[in-house]
Amino acid sequence: MKRTQKNDNYQVTKLDEVDLVCFSHLRWNFVYQRPQHLMNRVAKERRVFFVEEPIIDSGPVRWEIKHPSDRLWIATPHLTDKLSKEDSHAAHIELIDELLASNNISQFIAWYYTPMAMGYSYHLKPAVTVYDCMDELSAFNGAHPRMLEYENELLDKADLVFTGGLSLYESKKERHRNVHAFPSSIEKEHFGKARNTTQDPVDQLHIPHPRIGFFGVIDERSDLDLISGVAAARPEWHLMLIGPVVKIDPNSLPQAPNIHYLGQKTYDELPTYLAGWDVAMLPFALNRSTQFISPTKTPEYLAGGTPVVSTPIRDVVHPYGDEGLVHIAADVESFVTACERALSSDWDRNAWLKKVDAFLSNNSWDYTYTRMMQLIESELYAGSSFDNKYSSKNAGPTGITASALQSIPLELDPVQIDLPSNSGPSGVFDYLIVGAGFAGSVLAERLASGSGKRVLLIDRRNHIGGNAYDHYNEDGLLIHKYGPHIFHTNSREVFEYLGMFTEWRQYEHHVLASVDGQLLPIPINLDTINRLYGLNLTSQDLPKFYESVAEPRDPVRTSEDVVISKVGRELYEKFFRNYTRKQWDLDPSQLDAQVTARVPVRFNRDNRYFTDTYQSMPLYGYTRMFERMLEHPNIKVMLNTDYREVVNYVRFREMIFTGPVDEYFNFIYGKLPYRSLNFKFETLNKEWYQPEAVVNFPNEHLYTRVTEFKHLTGQEHPKTTIVYEYPCAEGDPYYPIPRPENAELYKQYQKLAASTPGVHFAGRLGTYKYYNMDQVVAQALTLYSKIAGVREGQATRTNTPHYLPVSLPRSAEPVK
Ligand code: FAD
Ligand code: UDP
């Protein structure tokens, strides 16, 4: 990207002194939409000059300026028809220069809605250039032949590109390095008024119900045949159309006794009209001009609580159609059927409204505006000589001072990490990573060491390492705060990657189950069977034994099927049923097969819990390994901080989120179920407590298992610490619960996540997967290669290894 047009001497002292000059093809007094929503908000903080396209008349060349509010100027250039094309162009440029000079606009953000404005503003040197692309203007009727050429120039000059919808994002993202989707938001409260308004406006009062309404611009995007078809098919329905008629011949509009054109209304009046409609419609034609549209009226109608029927416009189908919020219908017949359905009383309106409200809860112009300004401010700093954003002398862009940022609690006890004093010369982080567990830390390390990115890693806990965190307790014993973590993997890549940050201690994990008064090896194997039943079978006899007790199941769908189909009901009851019920508060018949399939059945005497190729514990513990991973000048760690506390104040380009995905989206589809644990630690005044690291209690006690850490860590100590695990419903989300309905619910969040540009989701909670540590590492390395591949092609900037996508290691032995 060229930066030659940038004002290189730009010095930022106070960001609210930076003006904004907006070039728009839409006039300020046209329908109230994206430009007005955003510019009115900008004008609360800085001066805004809204520059319209010129009007050509017979008068002199001049500015017509309106000043509707304190910091907002609407500037309309008037050119004269008396000048040649070239002279007119020169006069236009002079007008622009005069506007800037006479208002002392020196430091400014240039904000473009129309690429055509490049023709008369290319020479300006804004501090930051933003292209807020709200429509594919080149696809509109009468588009200027040079529109695409100007758009290329604008993309070349722009520091940031915003798009008004996801389809536009897809079409622009390969054309600029810094594209962000900001689908249009709405003012919920404003349109929500429609839910409680009973008074019809006078020009609507006389029109009978049922009424099917539309508000918006009526132009080449409107499907006039559809409108006349629906009106003809149902003469008893009344179609109401509100809005200006633009670029099409008003005589071409369909006429019928039940089609009513009420003309343009003000933004303030719209909810009162909406309140009187039984159905709201989006009758858009499917053509070039609608390929990328993202109609703002969709959420506006929904906020008003009115059922919506739309033609299959891509950005309406996804997500509104997919989520069952809007009926989609492509032709007259199906449009009529969909309206009939919406008009009938045969559907659960309350449930639909609840879904609508949940969906809209994430949507606000205030949020969109804040996020856009953060990105702009990031660019502003990136191009300025202001290089120490944390210096206490300087106020930050939104009035946040360094001291405010530094007052965010940063507790490093008991882990000490060398923190860099600031995030880098520009004061902008490339990545904000939420969660310092395996997923977040691996990504932080890779992005910093592998791609030279600046990373802010945040965790709401007071330590790094996530659930794998270990520390020395007051007796000096190394313990795992969140229960026993044993590292095992079949992936050489994962093992070697982690090996860069730790030495390993060979350790093979063994587990005993307390059954019928004995401590027997689990997974069930030859020894387990012989000792449980006092038999003397050999491994040749064992398959026959299993066969004699197994109950075939086809298909093997649940966790009960897995066990019973291999070892029969009795062993299932003794070893699995009750343990599983305690652990998950569900019967194994209600859980996916993958849960108990983690614990195989063996045909030999191998009593190791895992048979993976690599089984080891980090020699100095997990936390030490994480510390070494994060020891990089480009990584800043901020603990005791929920990301929501800082997300509006920190400048970053992209986010990686490894917390619970449902929480990220404010639980809009409801909570994803998780299982939690209470840990009870005890330190005993003796050297050893039990023969192996873990003893499971399938049938006794409220706890599921007891772990003695010294077996895992190899520590020598006269005392020993053990932990009891009590499963529970409330508490930290430890275990995603694998059941078909939960997977379905997750799919909804996954779809939302996939359509949230600029945010990547990873980890056990971010992708709602019952993953082991090695699987999370593999997933993170794969995500890193995707990010690095996209951003930098094949080349890496450092000598550290470049990790190719890593296949997910299998968590257990193949299910036999
Ligand atoms: P986490 O480790 O959960 O990290 C996510 C982090 O995000 C957390 O630290 C959290 O505080 C932070 N966070 C969440 N929301 C926010 C927010 N809004 N703002 C800021 N921070 C936030 N795996 C094995 O391979 N072997 C084992 O033996 C093993 N034993 C286990 C035993 C138990 C009891 C449990 C619960 C898990 C076990 N696991 C084991 C699984 C292992 O813990 C996970 O695979 C791994 O830790 C997941 O890493 P992660 O980064 O995805 O998530
Ligand atoms: N399980 C069981 N009895 C046991 C061990 C495991 O029923 O003695 C079941 C239980 O449902 C458990 C699942 O198998 O949740 C997976 O066990 P694993 O040891 O892999 O669980 P994790 O490591 O996640 O705690």
Side-chain angles (χ1 to χ4, degrees), residues 779-815:
Q779 187 197 41
L781 291 176
T782 301
L783 175 57
Y784 166 67
S785 359
K786 208 172 117 208
I787 294 173
V790 170
R791 301 281 179 272
E792 292 160 18
Q794 291 311 305
T796 47
R797 289 200 208 148
T798 70
N799 294 329
T800 50
H802 183 60
Y803 282 86
L804 295 173
V806 176
S807 53
L808 278 188
R810 276 197 312 254
S811 59
E813 295 157 64
V815 179

Side-chain angles (χ1 to χ4, degrees), residues 676-695:
S676 191
L677 291 170
N678 272 324
F679 299 102
K680 191 175 136 230
F681 291 87
E682 268 177 20
T683 298
L684 308 169
N685 215 348
K686 55 177 167 180
E687 198 170 353
W688 291 105
Y689 174 71
Q690 60 190 28
E692 296 287 1
V694 173
V695 175

Side-chain angles (χ1 to χ4, degrees), residues 726-740:
Y726 293 85
C728 54
E730 301 302 323
D732 277 4
Y734 292 136
Y735 291 91
I737 303 180
R739 310 184 67 187

Side-chain angles (χ1 to χ4, degrees), residues 434-441 458-461 463-468 482-488 598 610 622 641-644 657-660 663 677 679 705 725 733-735 762-766 770-776 779:
V434 181
F438 266 104
S441 299
I458 291 192
D459 205 297
R460 58 185 168 200
R461 291 171 168 163
H463 57 73
I464 55 171
N467 287 341
Y482 304 97
H485 276 71
I486 297 99
F487 185 78
H488 56 101
R598 289 165 64 92
F610 308 114
Y622 288 98
T641 307
D642 194 296
Y643 87 102
R644 283 167 206 261
F657 188 80
T658 76
E663 189 184 313
L677 291 170
F679 299 102
R705 59 186 178 187
E725 288 172 54
Y734 292 136
Y735 291 91
R764 184 150 153 156
L765 306 171
Y770 187 8
Y771 275 165
N772 290 330
M773 296 182 279
D774 63 325
Q775 293 171 301
V776 170
Q779 187 197 41

Side-chain angles (χ1 to χ4, degrees), residues 635-653:
I635 302 175
K636 180 179 172 78
V637 181
M638 190 178 270
L639 301 175
N640 274 340
T641 307
D642 194 296
Y643 87 102
R644 283 167 206 261
E645 293 172 60
V646 297
V647 71
N648 288 338
Y649 311 125
V650 170
R651 287 175 288 281
F652 59 93
R653 294 184 207 284

Side-chain angles (χ1 to χ4, degrees), residues 513 522 575-577 579-580 583-584 591 595-596 598-599 609 696 698 705 735 764 770 772:
I522 177 131
F575 287 86
F576 285 91
R577 184 161 192 223
Y579 186 104
T580 303
Q583 171 73 7
W584 299 95
L591 276 167
V595 176
T596 50
R598 289 165 64 92
V599 185
Y609 202 65
N696 287 354
R705 59 186 178 187
Y735 291 91
R764 184 150 153 156
Y770 187 8
N772 290 330

Side-chain angles (χ1 to χ4, degrees), residues 490-508:
N490 283 316
S491 164
R492 188 167 58 84
E493 292 99 319
V494 168
F495 188 65
E496 286 181 354
Y497 170 74
L498 293 178
M500 299 203 298
F501 313 103
T502 187
E503 292 82 55
W504 295 106
R505 164 177 186 265
Q506 284 300 315
Y507 170 76
E508 280 185 345

